[in-house]
Amino acid sequence: MLLPDRNTIDRLLHHYRAQERTVLARPGDLGIRRRFEDTAYTLCVLMGERTAREAVHAAEHYVGRRAAAAAPAGPAEAVGRAAARTAAPSAG
């Protein structure tokens, strides 16, 4: 099995994370979201995974990063947590 170049994967991960922050900051910008999804798709193809989450995890493992320490929550998880905080009744 052919493996992708580690430097290419590392650059793509940096690019993915930067786009992830941009999508979180400007969720309504469809152009930014499309570029983010294109980057996620590229990671999926290169890492042989079906989802972006699995591809990012595999890529981080492949280049020697710890996924939990290096990765902020993805847009879906961050939005879900924010919604849960605002919908949760206050204790007291």
Side-chain angles (χ1 to χ4, degrees):
M1 177 174 166
L2 293 175
L3 297 175
D5 176 57
R6 285 192 199 306
N7 291 329
T8 300
I9 297 300
D10 192 44
R11 281 193 310 271
L12 193 57
L13 275 172
H14 283 289
H15 192 61
Y16 176 89
R17 292 298 181 200
Q19 287 178 332
E20 183 177 47
R21 288 187 297 273
T22 305
V23 166
L24 287 171
R26 296 177 16 199
D29 190 324
L30 296 179
I32 290 171
R33 183 170 294 278
R34 263 192 296 273
R35 285 189 295 277
F36 176 65
E37 290 171 356
D38 286 347
T39 302
Y41 175 78
T42 302
L43 270 173
C44 287
V45 170
L46 289 175
M47 298 311 300
E49 299 291 346
R50 292 182 142 213
T51 68
R53 183 182 185 124
E54 293 169 345
V56 168
H57 179 73
E60 287 174 336
H61 180 71
Y62 182 65
V63 298
R65 287 194 209 160
R66 287 188 185 196
E77 291 116 356
V79 170
R81 280 198 308 271
R85 280 194 301 269
T86 57
S90 61

